[in-house]
Amino acid sequence: MRRMNEPANLSPDDVITCRVTRWFFQRMGILAVMMVGMGLYFCYDGKFGYRNENKIVDRKDWFEGDFLKSYDMAKKDGTLEQWMSKARSEGLPTGENGEPPRWPTYAAQFGWQEKVKRHSEEEIAQQFWWGGAMLAIALFVGLKVLIDFRKTLIGHADRMIMPGGAEVRFADVFKVDKRKWPVKGLAYIFYRSDDSERRAVVDDLKYGGADKVLDRLIASFKGELIEKAPDEDEPPDQPVAEPQK
């Protein structure tokens, strides 16, 4: 597990103060920016994108209906040359090699997609709902950063104070689960308090120096220490436990 910016040597009486890491703030910042971007994208589609696509669909319906019908009528009546002259003056395709005008040719003039889909009012409304949800998540992430900004994990000689304020005395801890520590920097501390069993989480990626607090706990720990996942030939619900001596 990587080490944070903490002193290399600590005496038992030193108080270890673990503050929120820059990595955590960067991660939350990236998440917030992503959510804002997605939220604005959804709102843009609801306000402009989907409605513009519906206008293109209307134009395609006109092209494949009235416009091509007028071409067929002019060809049938022998007035195709006049029809083509008028179409050119209006910037409309006239067809090639005796073939009728094609929608892809007309759509390409404006940079439109050849295949377009009509969006219902319900689908348009859903874009605003999704956009609002993404922006709400971004706001939640921002609030979490503000709330967590001053939180700390504090390690004393015989106890630790969790970021939420709970006090975990080392003597009350009966199990430590470190299976996620090597990869995710997470350790689960099980302890007894007020005649009930509780769980605390030590997060080394979020709180710089949390590994020092965990090392201090394990140094005097007498309970069950779980350090690795089960082997492939062992049942998945039977963790490998290594009692601390």
Side-chain angles (χ1 to χ4, degrees):
M1 192 64 210
R2 64 186 179 85
R3 295 300 191 225
M4 302 296 180
N5 296 326
E6 288 291 328
N9 298 313
L10 292 169
S11 71
D13 296 328
D14 286 335
V15 176
I16 307 171
T17 301
C18 309
R19 305 187 186 281
V20 179
T21 62
R22 180 180 298 179
W23 173 88
F24 173 79
F25 289 124
Q26 290 175 339
R27 182 187 181 194
M28 292 296 102
I30 292 172
L31 178 59
V33 170
M34 289 177 57
M35 293 299 102
V36 169
M38 292 175 63
L40 294 177
Y41 182 82
F42 280 121
C43 290
Y44 173 85
D45 266 350
K47 182 67 175 179
F48 302 106
Y50 276 18
R51 298 185 188 279
N52 289 339
E53 288 182 12
N54 283 349
K55 291 178 181 179
I56 297 174
V57 174
D58 291 339
R59 196 62 176 171
K60 183 179 182 182
D61 290 345
W62 167 83
F63 184 93
E64 295 179 342
D66 295 344
F67 183 65
L68 291 184
K69 185 176 181 180
S70 68
Y71 170 88
D72 292 336
M73 292 291 295
K75 188 174 183 180
K76 181 178 180 182
D77 295 340
T79 59
L80 188 57
E81 287 297 328
Q82 295 89 327
W83 182 93
M84 294 176 67
S85 178
K86 180 181 178 182
R88 290 192 189 97
S89 67
E90 296 177 355
L92 297 169
T94 57
E96 298 178 359
N97 302 321
E99 295 292 329
R102 299 174 62 251
W103 163 253
T105 303
Y106 183 59
Q109 293 181 239
F110 304 94
W112 296 340
Q113 294 288 335
E114 179 180 342
K115 295 181 179 180
V116 287
K117 174 182 177 294
R118 185 178 298 280
H119 302 282
S120 67
E121 288 299 322
E122 180 181 358
E123 290 175 321
I124 292 174
Q126 286 177 353
Q127 297 306 296
F128 290 108
W129 282 106
W130 280 110
M134 297 299 104
L135 293 175
I137 293 174
L139 178 61
F140 172 80
V141 172
L143 291 175
K144 179 173 178 57
V145 169
L146 291 176
I147 292 172
D148 289 350
F149 184 75
R150 295 187 178 279
K151 283 187 175 181
T152 56
L153 169 66
I154 300 176
H156 294 275
D158 61 346
R159 68 191 187 282
M160 56 184 172
I161 309 299
M162 306 308 297
E167 181 179 275
V168 179
R169 300 187 63 82
F170 295 163
D172 296 331
V173 177
F174 63 90
K175 181 167 67 174
V176 176
D177 187 343
K178 290 183 61 180
R179 284 176 292 181
K180 294 185 178 181
W181 187 258
V183 177
K184 297 184 178 181
L186 295 175
Y188 300 100
I189 312 301
F190 298 85
Y191 65 103
R192 295 182 178 88
S193 177
D194 298 329
D195 298 325
S196 63
E197 294 184 356
R198 301 186 182 185
R199 189 186 78 165
V201 181
V202 175
D203 189 340
D204 189 46
L205 292 180
K206 184 175 180 180
Y207 295 97
D211 56 317
K212 300 292 190 300
V213 178
L214 187 63
D215 288 344
R216 180 172 284 181
L217 163 63
I218 293 177
S220 60
F221 183 58
K222 303 298 182 181
E224 180 184 12
L225 178 62
I226 306 173
E227 292 189 289
K228 63 177 182 177
D231 295 330
E232 292 183 359
D233 58 347
E234 292 179 316
D237 58 345
Q238 297 293 327
V240 176
E242 179 183 336
Q244 189 75 9
K245 297 181 180 181

